Amino acid sequence: MPPAQLVGIGRVVETLKTEFPDITISKIRFLETEGLVLPERAPSGYRKYSPADVDRLRYILRVQRDQYLPLKVIREHLEMMDAGQQPPAADAPPPPPAATHAPVDPPDPPSGPAPRSPRTVRLTRRELIRESGLPEATLIELERQQMVLPRRNSMYYGRDALMICVVARRLQDYGMDTRHMRAIRQSAEHEAGLIEQGAQPLRRGGNGNQVVAELANLIVHAHAALVQTILEH
């Protein structure tokens, strides 16, 4: 694709603003961390969005606004589109509610680590450095502290490792280093303990992974909202 067709996130917001007045950069970042849109990354680390990325965002925002579809269902639609299939029409009536209660995805939470995306990320160590833009010395320190690890029984790194590296690189722009990442890890370890504690009584039903995923989703969003509340008061 010619470089002229790739635009930054600010231009994407301007393009979508007419149809979606409430669109924000943080909203697009959130959709990106959820794996719903994966823009190209320039050598400098800046994301560049193609016309196809903008159309994908327009579809996501439209079905969220008009059909109130949760991200799980939107992911299924996007998977169908990626496979060359036709998803349900955007103007079709929303599906009936599920028998079990599921948390509603917040409309515009701050960007941050999120549940796993259906799109598989499989990176070598060198690819991880290139895609994240993280200096190798910093990656070595994160690996030493076991904050970045390859997938179990594999030499390849997944989406979580990429997300941690991207966050670590961006924190460096604010004068924060691996010492601050250790504090984040301690908070994550505490929250993981809460998830394990809450999921333990429900594992017997055979849906342990689903319970863990739902609890993780709730706690991640609660954490982000609480941090924002503390900063505002």
Side-chain angles (χ1 to χ4, degrees):
M1 174 177 294
Q5 290 184 279
L6 300 177
V7 298
I9 194 169
R11 180 64 61 84
V12 173
V13 171
E14 292 177 9
T15 301
L16 297 173
K17 202 79 172 178
T18 301
E19 186 175 356
F20 308 99
D22 296 332
I23 186 64
T24 63
I25 289 177
S26 64
K27 174 67 172 181
I28 295 177
R29 289 286 190 238
F30 171 69
L31 296 175
E32 182 184 332
T33 59
E34 289 285 342
L36 299 182
V37 61
L38 297 173
E40 295 185 26
R41 187 183 293 275
S44 62
Y46 290 105
R47 295 162 178 80
K48 295 293 185 179
Y49 295 78
S50 68
D53 293 327
V54 177
D55 289 341
R56 193 177 183 91
L57 283 167
R58 185 177 287 111
Y59 175 83
I60 294 168
L61 296 169
R62 188 174 294 146
V63 295
Q64 278 190 320
R65 181 193 63 192
D66 299 342
Q67 297 183 267
Y68 305 100
L69 295 185
L71 294 185
K72 178 180 178 181
V73 176
I74 294 175
R75 282 197 185 96
E76 294 171 356
H77 287 194
L78 293 174
E79 284 185 70
M80 294 175 65
M81 295 165 64
D82 292 339
Q85 302 172 8
Q86 183 65 33
D91 57 353
T100 57
H101 176 71
V104 178
D105 297 295
D108 188 19
S111 60
R116 298 182 189 278
S117 162
R119 290 190 175 188
T120 301
V121 172
R122 186 172 181 267
L123 301 171
T124 64
R125 191 173 186 278
R126 182 54 54 191
E127 289 170 337
L128 178 64
I129 292 172
R130 184 181 69 244
E131 291 296 319
S132 67
L134 187 71
E136 185 170 13
T138 306
L139 176 58
I140 291 173
E141 181 62 20
L142 292 176
E143 289 176 323
R144 188 183 69 81
Q145 298 182 30
Q146 295 190 321
M147 283 188 272
V148 173
L149 299 169
R151 289 174 173 171
R152 185 175 300 176
N153 301 323
S154 170
M155 61 178 291
Y156 295 99
Y157 296 82
R159 182 173 297 276
D160 293 335
L162 177 59
M163 177 60 66
I164 293 168
C165 288
V166 169
V167 169
R169 175 183 61 79
R170 296 187 65 183
L171 286 177
Q172 289 179 340
D173 297 337
Y174 298 92
M176 303 176 76
D177 54 26
T178 52
R179 292 173 298 171
H180 301 91
M181 289 294 294
R182 285 199 297 270
I184 295 173
R185 174 176 175 165
Q186 290 171 356
S187 176
E189 289 174 341
H190 179 68
E191 291 173 357
L194 291 177
I195 293 169
E196 287 290 338
Q197 181 179 354
Q200 192 64 36
L202 303 174
R203 288 185 183 275
R204 301 184 186 90
N207 61 342
N209 290 339
Q210 179 182 350
V211 171
V212 168
E214 290 179 354
L215 284 173
N217 189 45
L218 288 172
I219 289 178
V220 164
H221 287 316
H223 178 102
L226 286 168
V227 169
Q228 191 65 31
T229 299
I230 292 169
L231 291 175
E232 291 178 352
H233 292 81

